[in-house]
Amino acid sequence: MKGRQKTFIILLAVLLLIFILVLILVKNAGLVVKHKIEKTIGTEFSVENVEIKWRELKAVNPVLKKDDTTYFMAKSISLSLNMAGIIKREFKFSRIILTEPYLLIEVDREGKVINPLKIGDQGKKEQTPLREVSIGSLLIDKGSLDYSDGKISKPPHLTRIRDLEFGIKDLYIPLSDRMSLFNIEASILGNISIGKIRGNGSINLKTRDMVSKISISNIDVTAFKPYFEKKGDARITRGYLDINMDITIRNGKIKAPGRAILRGLEFDASSTKDRFLGVPRHAVINLLKDSNGAIILDFVIEGDINNPRFNLMESLLEKMTIGLADKLGLSVTRIGESIIVEGARQIEKGISGVGRGIEKLFK
């Protein structure tokens, strides 16, 4: 009996020791992971702490900063593990949540996106095939985005997106030929109003096939003056833009019927300039008076997204320009890739004439 008791005590002590070692490992594993992440991504990236709990790994206050400029930060990034995947030695995450993330996107004077990230020595190592990683859902909660456009103006023009809520389901890395459901909602800060973006649908991230609905409402046009106010244009002091569009992409072909509404346009009375988006200002003012302050433009965008000459926003610009000219009773003639609006300036290949600002506004 005494021998059994002794054996039981020894076994209990061993189990207790193992339990203590596990606790110590879990407690310090966060430091190990934290060091590994920072070493892999580079000195520009830091994490305040990495918490490891049962089925969850959380990076607290991750920050990506370079030359005193913060490009990314978040309150936390949480990764929930799929236990069935662990047993099968598969990389499966049931959910990833980015809480209060912030992202800065900078574009230089040549229109190139500035990349602040340097991935250590990864580029020097021999690349090995990636094992598939599956993510049940990726969520962004209360996100913020700043878009600094150095190409359009100096100093760079800043577009501020806030209250970003984004979710997408069934992600796979490397990308697979499967549809993922998504939804998005965000606010665009303006000078005199806050606009809203809402969208939902499904997308195949590998083939880019998509079925979705996008709604943009109450966008403050005055917040985007650098994009559309050019030499010879009347100065806008007030105005709003709404767009609703159904987007379908199959086998590289896009079809997107939609409606754009320009509302409440007001111009600086002291301005001697007489054009709005390349057409006579007085005609636009009269049209606004006759249509209760709103100009409605219906359009259908069609094209081949795999054609390098196709641009969704340029096509949208062309449709809106033709619609505006038609509303004003101006004739439109196409010569090759150019559009001539009677009584207005020429639109060169969809981007250099009438409505160039609108094209850049959505680009």
Side-chain angles (χ1 to χ4, degrees):
M1 187 72 178
K2 291 183 179 180
R4 291 183 179 179
Q5 289 179 345
K6 185 176 181 181
T7 302
F8 175 77
I9 292 172
I10 294 174
L11 180 59
L12 183 62
V14 171
L15 291 174
L16 182 60
L17 178 60
I18 292 174
F19 179 71
I20 293 173
L21 289 174
V22 169
L23 289 179
I24 293 174
L25 177 62
V26 169
K27 181 178 180 181
N28 292 280
L31 297 176
V32 175
V33 175
K34 173 180 181 292
H35 175 72
K36 182 65 176 177
I37 291 173
E38 292 177 347
K39 182 178 180 181
T40 301
I41 297 180
T43 57
E44 296 86 0
F45 186 83
S46 65
V47 180
E48 181 180 303
N49 187 30
V50 175
E51 300 175 358
I52 297 180
K53 301 178 182 179
W54 179 246
R55 298 179 60 180
E56 182 183 23
L57 185 149
K58 178 186 287 188
V60 180
N61 292 328
V63 177
L64 175 62
K65 181 182 290 188
K66 185 177 181 181
D67 299 331
D68 295 326
T69 299
T70 299
Y71 288 90
F72 172 82
M73 63 180 180
K75 185 176 181 180
S76 66
I77 301 176
S78 299
L79 297 88
S80 298
L81 303 175
N82 185 308
M83 298 308 295
I86 292 177
I87 295 173
K88 297 178 181 179
R89 295 185 179 181
E90 296 173 344
F91 293 99
K92 289 188 175 182
F93 297 95
S94 58
R95 184 172 60 182
I96 296 178
I97 303 177
L98 282 73
T99 303
E100 296 182 24
Y102 166 80
L103 178 65
L104 169 63
I105 298 178
E106 286 187 314
V107 175
D108 62 21
R109 297 186 65 181
E110 285 73 39
K112 297 179 181 179
V113 177
I114 298 173
N115 181 11
L117 192 61
K118 294 181 179 179
I119 309 295
D121 297 325
Q122 298 301 309
K124 300 178 183 179
K125 295 181 180 180
E126 190 174 317
Q127 298 296 321
T128 57
L130 291 174
R131 293 182 62 181
E132 183 179 79
V133 177
S134 67
I135 303 170
S137 64
L138 172 65
L139 305 173
I140 293 177
D141 181 31
K142 298 179 182 177
S144 298
L145 171 67
D146 283 343
Y147 181 76
S148 178
D149 193 344
K151 183 179 181 181
I152 194 63
S153 65
K154 187 178 181 181
H157 179 71
L158 189 66
T159 298
R160 298 168 295 163
I161 297 177
R162 298 293 182 267
D163 302 322
L164 174 62
E165 301 290 335
F166 176 78
I168 186 166
K169 296 181 178 181
D170 300 324
L171 294 176
Y172 298 88
I173 304 173
L175 299 179
S176 65
D177 189 8
R178 308 178 217 190
M179 299 299 288
S180 301
L181 298 175
F182 74 90
N183 62 81
I184 184 171
E185 183 172 334
S187 300
I188 301 180
L189 304 187
N191 298 322
I192 56 178
S193 70
I194 297 177
K196 290 288 185 180
I197 297 178
R198 294 181 177 88
N200 62 79
S202 60
I203 183 171
N204 185 317
L205 295 173
K206 184 175 183 179
T207 65
R208 294 189 290 175
D209 283 3
M210 174 193 290
V211 178
S212 66
K213 292 181 177 290
I214 302 294
S215 172
I216 303 174
S217 61
N218 208 43
I219 299 299
D220 175 14
V221 175
T222 69
F224 297 91
K225 285 186 178 182
Y227 289 92
F228 63 83
E229 276 196 358
K230 305 299 179 183
K231 185 178 180 180
D233 286 347
R235 291 193 298 271
I236 297 178
T237 58
R238 191 179 184 88
Y240 307 95
L241 176 65
D242 305 333
I243 288 182
N244 290 294
M245 187 162 49
D246 295 335
I247 302 175
T248 300
I249 301 175
R250 288 193 177 95
N251 300 320
K253 302 297 189 297
I254 182 173
K255 184 171 184 178
R259 168 172 288 186
I261 304 176
L262 286 165
R263 300 182 290 106
L265 293 178
E266 295 180 5
F267 301 91
D268 185 352
S270 64
S271 175
T272 59
K273 306 299 176 59
D274 193 38
R275 288 185 302 195
F276 170 67
L277 300 178
V279 300
R281 177 178 64 168
H282 69 273
V284 176
I285 293 174
N286 290 335
L287 179 59
L288 288 168
K289 291 179 180 179
D290 295 339
S291 56
N292 297 320
I295 301 175
I296 300 175
L297 305 171
D298 293 318
F299 58 85
V300 178
I301 294 174
E302 295 180 287
D304 183 356
I305 64 171
N306 296 317
N307 185 340
R309 304 184 71 176
F310 175 80
N311 184 288
L312 176 63
M313 299 312 163
E314 290 180 10
S315 184
L316 174 62
L317 158 69
E318 180 180 296
K319 298 294 185 180
M320 291 181 65
T321 301
I322 294 173
L324 181 58
D326 182 63
K327 289 282 186 181
L328 295 174
L330 301 174
S331 62
V332 177
T333 303
R334 178 182 294 276
I335 302 177
E337 295 183 351
S338 299
I339 296 174
I340 306 297
V341 179
E342 183 182 342
R345 59 184 175 181
Q346 182 177 348
I347 307 172
E348 295 285 358
K349 297 183 181 179
I351 60 173
S352 62
V354 178
R356 181 178 181 184
I358 288 183
E359 183 271 326
K360 286 192 174 183
L361 179 61
F362 296 102
K363 194 168 183 179

